[in-house]
Amino acid sequence: MDKILITGGRRLEGRISVSAAKNAALPIMATALLSAEPLDLENVPDLADISSMRRLLQLLGVEVTHKAGEAGHMVLHCPELLSTTAPYDLVRRMRASVLVLGPLVARAGEARVSLPGGCAIGTRPVDIHLSGLEALGAKIELDGGYVHATAPGGLQGAEYLMPTVSVGATENLMMAAALARGQTVLMNCAREPEIVDLAACLNAMGAKVKGAGSERIVIDGVEALRGALHRIIPDRIETGTYAMAAGITGGRIEIDGADPSLFGEALDKLRRTGLALDATETGMVADGGGARLSGVDVMTQPYPGFATDLQAQFMAMMCVADGAAMITETIFENRFMHVPELHRMGARITVQGSSALVRGVERLKGAPVMATDLRASVSLVLAGLAAEGTTEINRVYHLDRGYADLERKLRACGAQIERQA
Ligand code: UD1
């Protein structure tokens, strides 16, 4: 199994191009199921999760082609559905596979999707996806580990108040409602930029979605969706991760293609540590200023609050900050699995329930560590970049799910990082 070796302690300096947002690309790829015409996507990131979604869509009848010579240009075309079943083997690998549920029921009146089951960062149920579809008139049965949703006469627009803010449920229901009869009003919606991007793509396909980015989304169902061309937004989590790579090493990284306006509260929190983040003509620049950053408290919240997907990286940065930082995770239980690994590198962290008190130390020390999920893995990369000596990160397949070209991008800024097969 591959591992990553990092010799830390170097100040990173250079330029990185940010990839497109994985979490925008995944639901947008699933919209191809809603139309018989081709969906032309620009800027699709080259990631394992994208390949998993591509494989699932192909199984369902989507023809996937790549435009020659244009990296990231993908055309998805589903003239006819070949299957309405998303099998266990694919769903278990990537929870976002559940995003095909809404589009399949909307187009075919039927879907069988394996339950994603538990996952490393908590139980992550799909009850809101299901009760939302029921509100739109689908009948839901659970059978043999599969959700079987049926709506033989098609879905019917309805009002639905989500009990908890859920990114995936908001997306699934928006896609389902696009082809429902009449109007759907979704309340207590997630407001992430990726949801705004999904709405933009749906609207380019002829859907009538209003209010994405607010807590109330109104969708007037249409009979059919057409093909469209859509460019995916930059990845704010990848951007934040590289900004923190500059922060933790006291370096300076220019991040081309980044959009700081997508950061929400994280922009202010990162700046308060002393990390300078400024918009440039081509994106943004993150400058750690060569000095030690200060401890800052954060609490994860749905957007525009501090993203849970930046929590582990922020914790790594706080491990070497001057002073203490209280980090509270409110979105997922069990999302502190990076803590014992950071301990192995000399971090001083005390966890109490959903909060972690990080007391900054002068320096981390390289150690063999093990990655447990995508963001935890990259937090260990950041820690390794700042640590004295060599850090060996095992189970790096998690990183490949969400970070395109990670080693190459970091090496371009002077990092000593390599992958060993
Ligand atoms: C998405 C992101 C993930 C990010 C998360 C929160 C994608 C592909 N993934 O995941 O990277 O960490 O948003 O920003 O975009 N919940 C329920 N019932 C449901 C659905 C969710 O109780 O039916 C709970 C979850 O367990 C969790 C919270 O709601 O505690 C938020 O989860 P959700 O926003 O749905 O996350 P995902 O869409 O899975």
Side-chain angles (χ1 to χ4, degrees):
M1 219 182 278
D2 286 6
K3 55 172 105 156
I4 282 183
L5 295 177
I6 302 173
T7 306
R10 293 178 163 215
R11 199 167 162 257
L12 298 195
E13 190 123 6
R15 210 178 186 112
I16 282 174
S17 272
V18 73
S19 301
K22 162 180 91 71
N23 287 354
L26 292 171
I28 285 172
M29 286 171 76
T31 63
L33 294 167
L34 289 165
S35 170
E37 295 181 20
L39 175 64
D40 212 327
L41 297 179
E42 288 180 347
N43 207 23
V44 180
D46 183 14
L47 297 168
D49 274 9
I50 298 294
S51 306
S52 300
M53 182 59 93
R54 188 180 51 212
R55 266 200 303 282
L56 174 57
L57 292 176
Q58 282 169 326
L59 194 83
L60 300 173
V62 181
E63 297 154 13
V64 183
T65 45
H66 295 270
K67 285 225 169 144
E70 286 185 55
H73 198 147
M74 191 185 264
V75 181
L76 302 157
H77 188 196
C78 185
E80 213 179 334
L81 287 172
L82 296 180
S83 161
T84 52
T85 298
Y88 175 68
D89 197 39
L90 288 177
V91 178
R92 93 186 146 82
R93 245 176 263 186
M94 184 185 63
R95 186 187 146 79
S97 310
V98 78
L99 291 169
V100 301
L101 180 62
L104 284 175
V105 191
R107 173 136 172 216
E110 202 245 359
R112 264 169 62 80
V113 174
S114 171
L115 277 168
C119 111
I121 59 171
T123 51
R124 301 183 91 177
V126 289
D127 54 313
I128 305 170
H129 301 240
L130 304 186
S131 60
L133 284 174
E134 271 178 336
L136 295 176
K139 200 169 136 235
I140 305 281
E141 281 169 313
L142 299 180
D143 174 28
Y146 279 76
V147 174
H148 190 205
T150 44
L155 295 170
Q156 174 70 49
E159 288 200 354
Y160 180 66
L161 171 69
M162 275 175 263
T164 312
V165 179
S166 161
V167 175
T170 303
E171 293 168 342
N172 233 334
L173 297 175
M174 256 166 66
M175 291 189 278
L179 289 183
R181 274 189 311 280
Q183 188 172 78
T184 298
V185 181
L186 300 175
M187 288 164 286
N188 198 25
C189 294
R191 294 182 279 163
E192 269 68 1
E194 292 73 24
I195 288 173
V196 178
D197 203 33
L198 171 62
C201 180
L202 284 168
N203 286 339
M205 295 167 78
K208 295 199 169 127
V209 182
K210 285 199 197 109
S214 78
E215 68 83 34
R216 187 170 183 272
I217 300 179
V218 179
I219 303 125
D220 285 303
V222 295
E223 286 248 324
L225 293 179
R226 53 176 184 262
L229 170 69
H230 181 79
R231 185 173 179 83
I232 295 169
I233 56 168
D235 195 317
R236 65 196 163 95
I237 306 301
E238 191 198 17
T239 304
T241 304
Y242 289 125
M244 287 192 265
I248 201 167
T249 63
R252 185 178 189 280
I253 301 183
E254 286 193 50
I255 310 172
D256 284 335
D259 181 354
S261 75
L262 304 179
F263 263 47
E265 195 190 297
L267 191 63
D268 177 53
K269 289 290 186 186
L270 291 177
R271 280 179 173 154
R272 279 210 250 158
T273 65
L275 175 61
L277 299 174
D278 291 297
T280 61
E281 265 180 25
T282 54
M284 69 182 253
V285 58
D287 195 341
R292 204 165 163 204
L293 302 179
S294 308
V296 170
D297 297 346
V298 301
M299 181 185 281
T300 62
Q301 293 281 343
Y303 193 83
F306 193 95
T308 175
D309 285 352
L310 290 174
Q311 181 259 109
Q313 302 89 310
F314 191 81
M315 188 182 295
M317 201 167 73
M318 291 297 93
C319 285
V320 288
D322 187 12
M326 178 73 91
I327 298 178
T328 305
E329 172 60 52
T330 73
I331 308 292
F332 295 112
E333 75 265 35
N334 200 17
R335 206 177 196 182
F336 283 146
M337 283 165 315
H338 38 289
V339 170
E341 305 303 311
L342 291 169
H343 278 159
R344 295 169 55 76
M345 300 177 71
R348 288 179 66 207
I349 307 167
T350 315
V351 175
Q352 192 115 85
S354 59
S355 289
L357 178 63
V358 185
R359 292 184 180 86
V361 296
E362 286 258 345
R363 176 139 289 139
L364 295 172
K365 289 216 170 73
V369 288
M370 185 135 72
T372 42
D373 70 60
L374 171 56
R375 308 302 169 185
S377 316
V378 87
S379 79
L380 300 174
V381 171
L382 295 187
L385 291 172
E388 211 167 69
T390 302
T391 298
E392 175 186 312
I393 303 175
N394 294 288
R395 291 206 189 155
V396 294
Y397 54 84
H398 291 292
L399 286 170
D400 298 331
R401 289 187 38 223
Y403 288 89
D405 274 341
L406 177 89
E407 301 102 273
R408 189 186 55 77
K409 288 184 183 183
L410 287 171
R411 260 200 306 268
C413 298
Q416 214 175 321
I417 175 168
E418 63 179 81
R419 186 180 290 236
Q420 261 184 10

